[in-house]
Amino acid sequence: KASSSSVRDMTAEDIVISPPAHYQPRAQYGCAFAVIHRSLLGTWLVMGWWAYDNILCSHVANAARGSLQFDEAPRPIAACVHELAIIEFERVAWIETMMNGKPDLKLWASRRLYALSC
């Protein structure tokens, strides 16, 4: 669900996301991360969550250019080369904050990657 009036102005905070109900396994700590990527083909949404301590699960959706209607992307699409840089950031953040012997969900959630391009 997007609250912004245009894709151009959309940020991660504008989208409320959760994995489809039929997806298993569920998120271990009830949290997920999202990557929003505007490309020549449209807008892509890659959602990732961790299960079983260290297994990445994902859901990919896309919307036509200028649209906020996201539909499930065809499998086996996982992520583009630029999105992988953000997923790598999330991997490191998960290891450092949740797999260090003292899981700290608040610290994980506070991590941010600030980049105009990856």
Side-chain angles (χ1 to χ4, degrees):
K1 174 184 172 188
S3 61
S4 182
S5 60
S6 76
V7 172
R8 184 176 179 182
D9 300 324
M10 185 173 54
T11 67
E13 289 79 19
D14 294 320
I15 298 177
V16 177
I17 59 170
S18 61
H22 66 279
Y23 271 40
Q24 295 294 330
R26 305 300 296 162
Q28 182 169 347
Y29 291 93
C31 59
F33 64 88
V35 179
I36 300 169
H37 178 198
R38 293 190 270 294
S39 76
L40 295 176
L41 299 175
T43 302
W44 294 86
L45 171 63
V46 178
M47 182 175 29
W49 64 97
W50 300 99
Y52 309 118
D53 294 321
N54 60 5
I55 304 297
L56 177 64
C57 303
S58 67
H59 177 70
V60 180
N62 65 326
R65 289 186 71 169
S67 172
L68 294 176
Q69 177 62 48
F70 286 88
D71 296 308
E72 187 166 347
R75 295 284 180 174
I77 290 176
C80 84
V81 68
H82 304 290
E83 295 157 352
L84 290 175
I86 300 165
I87 293 168
E88 169 63 9
F89 168 84
E90 289 294 340
R91 184 190 74 81
V92 170
W94 189 260
I95 290 168
E96 291 177 352
T97 63
M98 300 300 289
M99 296 178 65
N100 63 5
K102 293 190 260 180
D104 187 337
L105 189 58
K106 190 173 184 176
L107 181 59
W108 172 81
S110 73
R111 295 285 179 99
R112 297 287 183 272
L113 173 64
Y114 296 99
L116 295 176
S117 177
C118 294

